[in-house]
Amino acid sequence: MELALTESQLMIRKAAREFFAAECSSSVVRAMERDDRGYPPHLWRQMAEMGYNHFKNGRYDKSEIIFKGLTVIDPDNYYYHQMLGATFQRTEKLPESVVEYSIATDLNPKDTVSLTNRGEVYFKLGIYQLAETDLDQAIALDPKGEDRWVNRAR
């Protein structure tokens, strides 16, 4: 049985090491040891912001690495799944994006971004009935038409 890390796992480890080397002083590490959660939430927010900035700047490989790691660290955070889904969508990994958007909407049924994006992916895949269901659900969550993501669904 092969127990070596995959290439993707090695990239996640490298990105995590670089991030923590830059962000975790010895006092932060000591505070993490005393904290019941074992981590300071501001570090995860900073990591998510870094992943979003990579996404925004078209560095989808780095965004994918960061959000994959964050979904492992905190699998109940819908935003991490939403952003991993968006990264997969941009890189045409459409089935993977559907999975991540589905997790995000299971965690937060009012997540109009994931509903709209998943609807668009379903449409692109030719699964029109599911696309219509997602887009209608997103529209129903924004009856006043104020959500820019939902307005894409209209």
Side-chain angles (χ1 to χ4, degrees):
M1 172 186 251
E2 182 77 27
L3 296 178
L5 296 176
T6 66
E7 183 178 336
S8 183
Q9 290 168 328
L10 289 169
M11 289 189 304
I12 291 170
R13 182 176 71 181
K14 181 180 181 226
R17 283 183 175 167
E18 289 171 357
F19 175 80
F20 289 118
E23 299 296 331
C24 288
S25 64
S26 58
S27 62
V28 171
V29 173
R30 282 192 291 282
M32 286 190 292
E33 289 173 346
R34 292 187 299 273
D35 191 308
D36 289 338
R37 291 172 300 217
Y39 67 91
H42 77 277
L43 282 180
W44 294 163
R45 281 191 298 278
Q46 285 178 327
M47 192 175 285
E49 186 175 311
M50 183 172 60
Y52 175 76
N53 287 331
H54 285 309
F55 176 84
K56 192 170 70 174
N57 291 308
R59 293 189 300 270
Y60 303 121
D61 56 333
K62 292 181 187 251
S63 176
E64 180 179 335
I65 290 166
I66 290 168
F67 285 109
K68 274 184 177 176
L70 287 170
T71 60
V72 170
I73 292 167
D74 187 359
D76 296 328
N77 186 310
Y78 84 94
Y79 175 73
Y80 300 159
H81 291 283
Q82 178 193 97
M83 284 306 302
L84 185 54
T87 301
F88 285 146
Q89 185 177 1
R90 288 283 175 93
T91 56
E92 295 295 315
K93 297 176 183 174
L94 300 181
E96 292 92 335
S97 71
V98 168
V99 169
E100 293 303 324
Y101 288 140
S102 296
I103 294 168
T105 58
D106 285 347
L107 293 168
N108 179 7
K110 295 182 179 181
D111 177 11
T112 58
V113 173
S114 292
L115 284 168
T116 301
N117 285 345
R118 186 175 66 182
E120 291 175 352
V121 172
Y122 281 144
F123 189 84
K124 190 168 189 173
L125 291 171
I127 309 171
Y128 302 117
Q129 190 162 6
L130 291 177
E132 182 179 10
T133 300
D134 275 357
L135 298 174
D136 285 346
Q137 189 176 352
I139 291 167
L141 290 169
D142 182 42
K144 294 182 180 178
E146 296 172 343
D147 184 315
R148 71 183 182 107
W149 290 99
V150 176
N151 288 335
R152 283 182 28 200
R154 288 181 170 29

